[in-house]
Amino acid sequence: MPAPRIIARLDIKGPNVIKGIHLEGLRVIGNPGEMARAYYAQDVDEIIYMDTVASLYRRNSILDAVSEAARDVFVPITVGGGIRSVDDIVAALRSGADKVALNTAAIARPELIREAAEALGSQCIVLSVEAKTRGAGQWEALTDNGRERTGVDVLDWVTRAESLGAGEILVTSVDMEGTRKGFDHALLSAVRARVSIPVIGCGGAGRANHVIKAIEDDGLDAVACASLFHYDLCPLSELKQTLSAAGIQVRH
Amino acid sequence: MTLVIDYGRGNLFSLGEALRHVQADYEISGDPAKIVAANRIILPGVGAFGDAMQALGARGLVAPLKQAAERGIPILGICVGCQLLLDASEEFGPHQGLGLIPGTVTRLPAPSAGDPDMIRIPNVGWRRLDIRPGQPVLSALTAEPWVYFVHSFAPMVSDADHIAATIQVNGRAVPAAIQKGAMLGFQFHPEKSGPAGLKLLHEFVASTAAGLHQVGQGV
């Protein structure tokens, strides 16, 4: 199989990288620029910056952090949280981001995905889905960093987003996020089966084996981890070595 | 001085920062007159081929670029900028390209269901280059040349001698870097390919037209 991407996800609140459980109960972890540079030095394949409060307070200070990181970090950077229009996307790309992750604004107005893909190309449009279990094989898409219900079915939504022109799907399990108990494999497999574009799994990784399972069993193209790296549960170099020993190609 | 062509397409922020990191003497501009004075040219680009070509035309950059190529000025095309060097593209087309390297930009081979090595399209991620021997810029990379791709189309050059490196996509060796004379094209993003990408940019800005020509003539 082609080498999966190992992505470090940095959730941002104001000037800090924070980490929660189920996207709540936030704890300050560090500085966004310093952490991105440290992960870059450890051969991270990609960085995701996710503004955890932007949708709520309608502000967008995260681009300063992106610009700072992009001066020294030469891997793809995705920025999400509070992006509401094509103009917001252009501003993010000008700040040094390569892709944007859309959630709340896309749920409110799905045509934003099409407009953004047509104006800037699908390659920079990532649909971010915050999925909450609502029964066996069913998940609801939440918005505003897991705070708001939408009634939208996750599997229907990712299918529609692909047809509107999304280039990748980032799917975060709100149920598993921050728990370190492993990914929601039923969710990831179900999303994988619904779309043909790359899928990034997120939420719950606490050990290297969780990542191996997501890649081998769920067929994911990429995983995004936070606790795993932030708390040194399994540093990047160790993760890549473990994947390699399991026969999974990694970039090094 | 290395000129980065600004025609409203591409992540010029990252490319500029990458060039700054390798201590290149560079300028980012969309002024056709600057092309005449440039020692080296980088043509970036993202998005769709037809749209990019139209943007180049609207800014009066097509003729100066062709003239620079005729004069043997080293040109590095990146991503869609690499594709623009070819004759044409089938993306939402056909669309005509700069016609500097013979070939057509075509869709990547589709994956077959159940193939364990399948690459989904768009091809997003890090792939390992198979580099042809004797490449002046690419040969600077070490044994494991991993670089970052995000594309659905590939520069299918007509003459196999113009292939500088390939990647495996769904059972086929697809051109990932192309070269003819002093012209070089990377389908991947060197400015997003970590230390390996920075090394390639350094090699390009440190290279000479003669050095690039040599390989193009198969010496």
Side-chain angles (χ1 to χ4, degrees):
Chain A
M1 75 180 81
R5 287 171 282 152
I6 308 300
I7 302 172
R9 172 170 170 161
L10 305 177
D11 285 343
I12 306 292
K13 184 179 183 185
N16 298 314
V17 175
I18 51 95
K19 186 73 200 89
I21 298 175
H22 309 307
L23 299 175
E24 289 180 313
L26 309 175
R27 176 170 162 189
V28 172
I29 301 291
N31 172 279
E34 280 171 21
M35 290 183 68
R37 285 189 288 273
Y39 291 143
Y40 175 67
Q42 296 167 49
D43 286 341
V44 77
D45 294 332
E46 222 169 300
I47 302 273
I48 295 175
Y49 278 122
M50 197 64 83
D51 196 338
T52 59
V53 291
S55 290
L56 195 60
Y57 297 110
R58 299 192 155 262
R59 62 189 173 78
N60 224 336
S61 61
I62 196 171
L63 297 189
D64 293 337
V66 172
S67 287
E68 194 207 320
R71 287 184 204 292
D72 302 302
V73 170
F74 299 103
V75 295
I77 299 175
T78 300
V79 59
I83 290 176
R84 290 175 288 274
S85 65
V86 170
D87 284 349
D88 286 349
I89 299 170
V90 169
L93 301 182
R94 284 213 180 113
S95 301
D98 300 280
K99 317 178 204 181
V100 294
L102 302 176
N103 177 16
T104 305
I107 293 252
R109 203 172 65 79
E111 279 299 307
L112 175 61
I113 298 172
R114 185 196 302 279
E115 290 164 18
E118 281 178 3
L120 301 156
S122 292
Q123 83 289 336
C124 66
I125 309 301
V126 180
L127 180 78
S128 170
V129 184
E130 292 159 4
K132 176 92 181 154
T133 305
R134 295 293 181 218
Q138 274 203 317
W139 296 268
E140 179 186 357
L142 305 185
T143 60
D144 296 278
N145 207 50
R147 287 180 289 262
E148 300 293 332
R149 298 191 58 165
T150 64
V152 172
D153 178 77
V154 164
L155 300 181
D156 290 345
W157 178 223
V158 296
T159 310
R160 184 160 178 215
E162 179 178 33
S163 70
L164 286 167
E168 294 181 69
I169 307 280
L170 166 65
V171 52
T172 303
S173 164
V174 177
D175 303 296
M176 300 311 289
E177 202 278 331
T179 65
R180 310 179 189 181
K181 291 178 181 165
F183 293 97
D184 181 342
H185 295 288
L187 167 69
L188 300 182
S189 294
V191 171
R192 171 70 286 161
R194 279 295 186 105
V195 297
S196 64
I197 52 178
V199 175
I200 306 163
C202 184
R207 289 191 275 122
N209 280 352
H210 295 152
V211 174
I212 292 173
K213 188 166 161 55
I215 292 164
E216 287 190 336
D217 297 356
D218 305 332
L220 295 198
D221 306 273
V223 290
C225 303
S227 297
L228 202 61
F229 306 143
H230 297 350
Y231 297 120
D232 245 9
L233 304 178
C234 178
L236 265 158
S237 56
E238 187 186 321
L239 176 61
K240 286 197 169 184
Q241 274 167 22
T242 310
L243 292 180
S244 191
I248 298 169
Q249 267 201 93
V250 289
R251 168 216 166 213
H252 50 88
Chain B
M1 193 267 299
T2 300
L3 178 70
V4 177
I5 310 261
D6 179 5
Y7 59 111
R9 305 291 181 280
N11 183 345
L12 300 186
F13 184 98
S14 294
L15 185 54
E17 291 302 316
L19 289 168
R20 191 175 59 79
H21 258 254
V22 301
Q23 274 120 39
D25 173 23
Y26 75 97
E27 184 180 351
I28 298 176
S29 171
D31 180 358
K34 303 256 184 187
I35 293 180
V36 178
N39 303 116
R40 279 178 211 86
I41 293 168
I42 297 181
L43 181 62
V46 297
F49 183 101
D51 174 67
M53 196 62 201
Q54 196 176 23
L56 273 184
R59 287 164 172 77
L61 295 164
V62 171
L65 273 170
K66 287 182 174 177
Q67 285 154 14
E70 273 166 30
R71 298 204 321 275
I73 301 292
I75 299 176
L76 170 63
I78 297 174
C79 193
V80 174
C82 160
Q83 298 177 359
L84 290 172
L85 301 176
L86 273 60
D87 296 317
S89 171
E90 65 175 30
E91 185 185 13
F92 305 126
H95 290 283
Q96 218 178 7
L98 291 169
L100 301 174
I101 301 182
T104 306
V105 179
T106 59
R107 185 170 281 280
L108 286 169
S112 11
D115 175 5
D117 294 325
M118 77 139 78
I119 288 184
R120 289 186 181 79
I121 311 300
N123 171 31
V124 184
W126 296 76
R127 311 286 175 236
R128 197 168 38 195
L129 295 174
D130 294 318
I131 299 169
R132 289 276 180 93
Q135 293 295 325
V137 171
L138 288 161
S139 62
L141 294 184
T142 49
E144 297 270 325
W146 290 91
V147 291
Y148 181 79
F149 289 84
V150 49
H151 65 134
S152 300
F153 289 79
M156 305 301 287
V157 292
S158 328
D159 185 343
D161 286 348
H162 296 154
I163 298 173
T166 57
I167 52 168
Q168 285 294 324
V169 179
N170 299 323
R172 281 186 63 189
V174 170
I178 56 176
Q179 198 245 344
K180 181 189 177 218
M183 281 174 294
L184 196 56
F186 294 162
Q187 178 58 61
F188 55 91
H189 286 272
E191 77 281 15
K192 288 290 160 185
S193 295
L198 294 179
K199 178 116 191 173
L200 291 177
L201 288 171
H202 170 77
E203 290 295 318
F204 176 71
V205 299
S207 68
T208 62
L212 284 167
H213 266 301
Q214 237 181 356
V215 167
Q217 290 158 4
V219 174

